[in-house]
Amino acid sequence: MRHHNPILKELLITMGDSGMDPTVSPPESTAQEASFLSMTDMFLISLIIGLFSYWFFFRKKKEEVPEFTKIQQTTSSSSSSGGDSNFVDKMKKTGRNIVVFYGSQTGTAEEFANRLSKDAHRYGMRGLGADPEEYDLSDLSRLSEIDNSLAVFCMATYGEGDPTDNAQDFYDWLQEADVDLSGVKYAVFGLGNKTYEHFNAMGKYVDKRLEQLGAQRIFELGLGDDDGNLEEDFITWREQFWPAVCEHFGVEATGDESSIRQYELVVHTDMNMNKVYTGEMGRLKSYESQKPPFDAKNPFLAPVTKNRKLNQGGERHLMHLELDISGSKVRYESGDHVAVYPANDSTLVNQIGEILGADLDTIMSLNNLDEESNKKHPFPCPTSYRTALTYYLDITNPPRTNVLYELAQYATDANEQDRLRKMASSAAEGKEFYLSWVVDSRRNILAILQDMPSLRPPIDHLCELLPRLQARYYSIASSSKVHPNSIHICAVTVEYETKTGRLNKGVATTWLKNKVPNENGNKSLVPMYVRKSQFRLPFKPSTPVIMIGPGTGIAPFVGFIQERAWLKQQGKEVGDTVLYYGCRHEKEDYLYQEELTQFHKEGALTQLNVAFSRDQAQKVYVQHLLKQNKEGVWKLIHEGNAHIYVCGDARNMARDVQNTFYEIVAEYGNMSQPQAVDYVKKLMTKGRYSMDVWS
């Protein structure tokens, strides 16, 4: 990591000045002046040496704080807490030989890691699921001290080839590490999405880097594709991974396929309600007494001050919300993401309680049977089943095969039990059945319970198995220069009919849609935090920008345009601000039409190019408008050093737009196709072509 230290820069300038040619002093200088100069020189040199020494030691301290704090803490805490950040010592102490690290943003990689860790018992091994953020990964070199030891990494890629938040420190360490990992055995499963430019970049990097550091790969890198069927990719890799482990270590499967509970249920009959979680993500009562800093484990409850429908017609509901962050110390920049923690629909929650004959208001805890685990509960406990199903558990996504496998034992009808086991098996027929009956039919857990009348699991085991409800990310649609005390969201409600005739609704967008400002005198609150992004306006306001964002992809550009307009008002020289926006119909879903027209009129928006895809027989998209203006686009890129920004759908739009840029560059830059591709890729590397896309 390079540190650009301003103190050093100033010192070097000063040192350069003090060493200037003495002949520049006037010839009539007296001896007295000369001696005065030499004294000044001496004083200056002493001052410089003193300052340099101070800077040197000060800099060391500055650098050492982030890099070595963890290690110092480990040493001091090892006597009192057993050195919790040392995973090798922990494995030795608890008799484990497999550690499964996960880099997870939405919980899937964590889920896969836990499944692999749980699998280990079938092979006479013991696994430890581990969050790299909680451990010191420099201990990896000591893993070979444990016989038949293995490190597995389930690594998701986030955004444009980035590590997930919890794997950032691990990634930084890997880049800078100069350790010998010979003797360490490893395997990697990556979680990615093929619609993204940097497919599975993190999984690929970890796999390659561990090998470079001397570790031995015992099974090939697995590449899961969320654009296809991530669950199937994982199962296919896993069913070949374990035989490879057995062969490498000379062990055999014990044949023990029985279900093992990870948590035990404790029902609290006379619990003090002040000690019961009611939806908080971290600290108990954190929603009653809010304390900064606010982050994923400590979200801020932001009041909704505005919630308006953006579209004039059509079947969809597109909305603009404003969240008040006054007094929260929450800071954001244009291009950042706001994460919100939604709540499940109470109707679905009640139906699950009803079908399982459970009292949802029972106060309970699920306690980890593995006392050494860092994860004491699957979600904040003690709490009620109602709270767990409303705020902590994902009840709307189709369950993964491991959930079906564990639930099968509770089906009293042999046929239903057989179907559940079949879907959880690795047989081709079983995979196909799971894909059609669960995934393609979008059956959530309630639909499965409704369609399998004999399946009535205990509600506590169901709560143990369901994945955590994740925060939803939205590109911020405002500029903090113009709106320092509010964050704007632009979203479209998700609602569709499944193959079984059920109406499925998006959790977060349905919940946000119902957030009415100050309803009956009560504030509508949204638990939120800000996630920093690389999607940034150019450092120099005079640099031109080309923004492409159809549909709700307009969101970050509303913030960008607001900021460029503000900079203009401050008297700054602002370069061309060009927007390519697209929607279905001008009269139905032209988002922020008034605002964009006004910005264009005032000159803050140099060009406003809008594609209405369905207002004519021939469909017109943003890439068609780019082609129409190709000469001007090339001029802005090549001569104006413009920055390009793309936001919206990754699967089709982002790819089509990128191909259009290849064509423009090839034609006007007189390049071959491979050269044009290379030119655009270089723009990406330089940070001049940025994407904020989703699939």
Side-chain angles (χ1 to χ4, degrees):
M1 213 183 292
R2 290 190 179 87
H3 294 268
H4 300 287
N5 196 309
I7 302 172
L8 174 63
K9 198 173 176 185
E10 282 181 33
L11 272 168
L12 291 172
I13 291 165
T14 315
M15 288 172 82
D17 287 348
S18 69
M20 280 163 59
D21 188 348
T23 55
V24 293
S25 11
E28 60 268 29
S29 296
T30 61
Q32 192 181 358
E33 282 174 307
S35 75
F36 173 72
L37 271 171
S38 61
M39 280 170 70
T40 310
D41 285 351
M42 289 293 285
F43 172 72
L44 266 173
I45 289 162
S46 307
L47 181 67
I48 288 159
I49 290 166
L51 277 170
F52 194 86
S53 307
Y54 171 76
W55 169 80
F56 183 79
F57 290 107
F58 177 76
R59 178 205 66 151
K60 282 302 243 192
K61 276 183 184 167
K62 288 278 277 192
E63 282 185 1
E64 279 171 16
V65 171
E67 293 208 29
F68 298 109
T69 307
K70 282 184 184 171
I71 297 169
Q72 286 165 0
Q73 282 175 347
T74 305
T75 317
S76 60
S77 66
S78 58
S79 53
S80 57
S81 66
D84 279 349
S85 73
N86 189 318
F87 70 90
V88 176
D89 287 353
K90 187 171 188 173
M91 287 171 75
K92 286 179 177 178
K93 188 178 162 188
T94 58
R96 304 180 193 239
N97 51 354
I98 293 183
V99 59
V100 191
F101 289 106
Y102 56 85
S104 190
Q105 197 70 29
T106 62
T108 310
E110 180 180 0
E111 196 187 314
F112 287 178
N114 288 333
R115 282 161 71 176
L116 288 171
S117 166
K118 211 171 170 185
D119 281 345
H121 82 275
R122 295 179 188 162
Y123 304 92
M125 297 172 154
R126 286 196 73 198
L128 171 73
D131 182 344
E133 206 169 29
E134 293 176 1
Y135 294 98
D136 183 356
L137 267 293
S138 63
D139 289 321
L140 198 57
S141 57
R142 290 184 50 223
L143 187 62
S144 55
E145 293 172 13
I146 299 169
D147 289 340
N148 285 359
S149 59
L150 172 67
V152 184
F153 297 85
C154 291
M155 308 306 294
T157 299
Y158 186 75
E160 294 305 305
D162 305 316
T164 56
D165 292 348
N166 77 313
Q168 185 65 55
D169 289 348
F170 170 48
Y171 176 71
D172 294 342
W173 174 77
L174 269 182
Q175 285 191 303
E176 296 167 15
D178 183 21
V179 289
D180 180 10
L181 296 183
S182 51
V184 173
K185 317 285 171 66
Y186 78 93
V188 179
F189 182 80
L191 295 83
N193 188 310
K194 273 206 173 119
T195 58
Y196 289 80
E197 178 74 21
H198 306 280
F199 173 59
N200 256 315
M202 190 60 184
K204 290 172 182 173
Y205 175 73
V206 171
D207 183 64
K208 183 181 167 191
R209 185 70 181 128
L210 289 172
E211 186 180 45
Q212 286 172 348
L213 293 170
Q216 181 189 352
R217 183 191 299 106
I218 69 152
F219 189 60
E220 67 193 38
L221 166 68
L223 298 175
D225 177 21
D226 200 26
D227 188 45
N229 186 344
L230 191 58
E231 173 74 7
E232 191 179 322
D233 294 338
F234 174 65
I235 290 169
T236 305
W237 180 83
R238 176 180 164 223
E239 69 193 28
Q240 293 167 15
F241 163 74
W242 283 115
V245 171
C246 290
E247 191 182 335
H248 186 86
F249 294 116
V251 294
E252 286 180 20
T254 59
D256 181 11
E257 294 286 323
S258 63
S259 162
I260 294 179
R261 287 289 299 262
Q262 202 176 338
Y263 298 91
E264 69 172 344
L265 171 68
V266 176
V267 175
H268 308 286
T269 47
D270 53 355
M271 173 64 72
N272 176 350
M273 292 310 283
N274 284 326
K275 293 182 177 172
V276 176
Y277 281 88
T278 55
E280 306 94 323
M281 290 299 145
R283 181 174 55 87
L284 185 67
K285 301 294 170 199
S286 60
Y287 286 171
E288 287 177 28
S289 59
Q290 294 250 279
K291 292 174 190 167
F294 297 105
D295 54 27
K297 288 171 185 161
N298 181 34
F300 175 65
L301 286 181
V304 176
T305 54
K306 199 174 275 187
N307 184 349
R308 67 182 173 100
K309 189 178 178 183
L310 287 170
N311 51 320
Q312 297 78 44
E315 293 170 8
R316 300 180 304 160
H317 180 95
L318 294 122
M319 57 195 163
H320 170 88
L321 287 97
E322 298 186 8
L323 309 179
D324 184 2
I325 55 168
S326 305
S328 67
K329 295 188 178 164
V330 169
R331 300 283 174 264
Y332 75 96
E333 297 290 329
S334 305
D336 282 343
H337 298 132
V338 59
V340 304
Y341 283 108
N344 285 311
D345 187 338
S346 59
T347 311
L348 293 180
V349 172
N350 288 332
Q351 283 179 290
I352 290 172
E354 215 173 285
I355 210 164
L356 296 179
D359 176 2
L360 293 179
D361 297 311
T362 300
I363 306 299
M364 55 84 197
S365 291
L366 286 176
N367 299 331
N368 203 324
L369 289 161
D370 176 4
E371 290 173 11
E372 294 296 329
S373 174
N374 281 14
K375 194 175 182 178
K376 302 300 176 196
H377 314 281
F379 43 78
C381 290
T383 191
S384 68
Y385 289 121
R386 186 181 304 282
T387 299
L389 291 168
T390 304
Y391 299 106
Y392 299 141
L393 298 170
D394 183 344
I395 61 173
T396 57
N397 270 313
R400 297 196 185 278
T401 56
N402 64 308
V403 177
L404 303 183
Y405 177 81
E406 299 269 353
L407 291 180
Q409 61 187 306
Y410 299 112
T412 53
D413 180 284
N415 184 36
E416 286 179 4
Q417 190 174 101
D418 185 51
R419 284 162 71 200
L420 286 164
R421 291 236 160 92
K422 189 178 175 182
M423 285 190 281
S425 75
S426 54
E429 195 186 345
K431 286 179 184 174
E432 215 170 288
F433 185 34
Y434 170 73
L435 196 61
S436 65
W437 200 80
V438 178
V439 181
D440 293 346
S441 301
R442 300 301 296 169
R443 272 186 175 88
N444 57 30
I445 191 62
L446 176 62
I448 288 169
L449 292 171
Q450 286 170 339
D451 294 347
M452 290 195 164
S454 87
L455 177 63
R456 296 296 177 260
I459 192 166
D460 62 289
H461 199 179
L462 182 68
C463 288
E464 174 182 323
L465 294 170
L466 290 174
R468 282 293 294 267
L469 181 60
Q470 299 294 325
R472 287 354 190 223
Y473 296 91
Y474 297 95
S475 302
I476 296 176
S478 53
S479 162
S480 56
K481 301 284 191 292
V482 183
H483 300 283
N485 294 317
S486 74
I487 281 177
H488 300 181
I489 293 174
C490 168
V492 56
T493 51
V494 177
E495 205 169 282
Y496 59 93
E497 191 176 309
T498 70
K499 288 179 179 177
T500 64
R502 292 178 171 94
L503 185 68
N504 276 10
K505 295 179 180 183
V507 177
T509 52
T510 304
W511 175 75
L512 285 171
K513 183 184 172 182
N514 296 322
K515 288 283 174 188
V516 182
N518 291 322
E519 192 174 26
N520 305 323
N522 295 322
K523 285 181 178 176
S524 276
L525 302 170
V526 170
M528 55 72 67
Y529 66 94
V530 168
R531 188 181 194 277
K532 295 291 172 196
S533 153
Q534 300 299 316
F535 205 68
R536 287 277 183 269
L537 276 169
F539 181 69
K540 286 184 184 169
S542 57
T543 304
V545 296
I546 301 168
M547 304 169 290
I548 300 118
T552 54
I554 185 74
F557 303 137
V558 173
F560 279 14
I561 299 161
Q562 284 177 4
E563 190 147 324
R564 304 270 281 190
W566 178 84
L567 287 163
K568 213 165 187 167
Q569 284 167 5
Q570 303 301 304
K572 297 273 195 302
E573 185 199 334
V574 178
D576 282 5
T577 305
V578 177
L579 176 68
Y580 286 85
Y581 170 65
C583 62
R584 294 175 184 180
H585 303 281
E586 184 176 7
K587 298 278 187 279
E588 275 186 17
D589 53 356
Y590 187 165
L591 308 184
Y592 300 106
Q593 184 174 3
E594 283 178 31
E595 293 92 326
L596 294 174
T597 307
Q598 190 60 31
F599 280 130
H600 190 218
K601 202 170 150 186
E602 290 167 1
L605 194 52
T606 320
Q607 282 181 41
L608 175 57
N609 306 286
V610 189
F612 304 108
S613 63
R614 301 180 189 182
D615 274 350
Q616 59 287 309
Q618 193 81 23
K619 284 189 178 174
V620 177
Y621 296 117
V622 282
Q623 62 268 25
H624 299 132
L625 299 189
L626 277 169
K627 281 179 191 172
Q628 280 175 24
N629 303 334
K630 52 189 179 180
E631 195 174 346
V633 168
W634 169 250
K635 204 172 176 187
L636 279 174
I637 299 168
H638 190 61
E639 293 172 24
N641 289 318
H643 283 221
I644 300 160
Y645 300 91
V646 182
C647 182
D649 163 53
R651 189 175 284 108
N652 301 310
M653 182 277 298
R655 194 180 289 162
D656 292 342
V657 164
Q658 204 165 311
N659 288 334
T660 302
F661 276 112
Y662 293 156
E663 286 175 33
I664 293 170
V665 169
E667 184 179 344
Y668 286 90
N670 294 319
M671 298 180 205
S672 65
Q673 175 70 6
Q675 286 173 323
V677 169
D678 188 51
Y679 182 95
V680 172
K681 294 276 165 77
K682 280 198 175 112
L683 291 180
M684 290 175 178
T685 310
K686 290 175 187 167
R688 280 184 54 200
Y689 191 124
S690 305
M691 290 186 282
D692 179 3
V693 293
W694 53 84
S695 61

